[in-house]
Amino acid sequence: VKVTLVSTEGTMKASPISGVAEDQPGFGLLGAILEHTDGPVFAKMTGPAALVKESREAFIEMVKSAAKK
């Protein structure tokens, strides 16, 4: 399974769809796209940038586990 990781930091913009009422500066996003034979699988983690960085290895381990399925 091919896996593409993406990450970014910045301001999470307010959106009624996400339930975020006000812009949130200092946020991070870590995402993965798994190109599975049954179709793509998307995983995403957002939150305060420091917490996303701290959780990066656990996120990658979760993605590796999913890629084996």
Side-chain angles (χ1 to χ4, degrees):
V1 173
K2 180 181 175 186
V3 176
T4 302
L5 290 174
V6 296
S7 65
T8 189
E9 290 183 25
T11 299
M12 178 181 269
K13 301 300 282 179
S15 167
I17 294 171
S18 67
V20 176
E22 297 180 7
D23 289 356
Q24 303 290 318
F27 260 55
L29 177 146
L30 183 57
I33 305 164
L34 293 83
E35 296 180 32
H36 193 276
T37 55
D38 292 336
V41 177
F42 303 90
K44 178 177 79 169
M45 175 175 53
T46 60
L51 182 57
V52 171
K53 284 180 184 177
E54 180 182 312
S55 303
R56 180 182 175 87
E57 289 306 314
F59 181 86
I60 290 172
E61 288 304 314
M62 186 261 318
V63 169
K64 285 180 181 178
S65 176
K68 293 178 184 176
K69 305 284 181 192

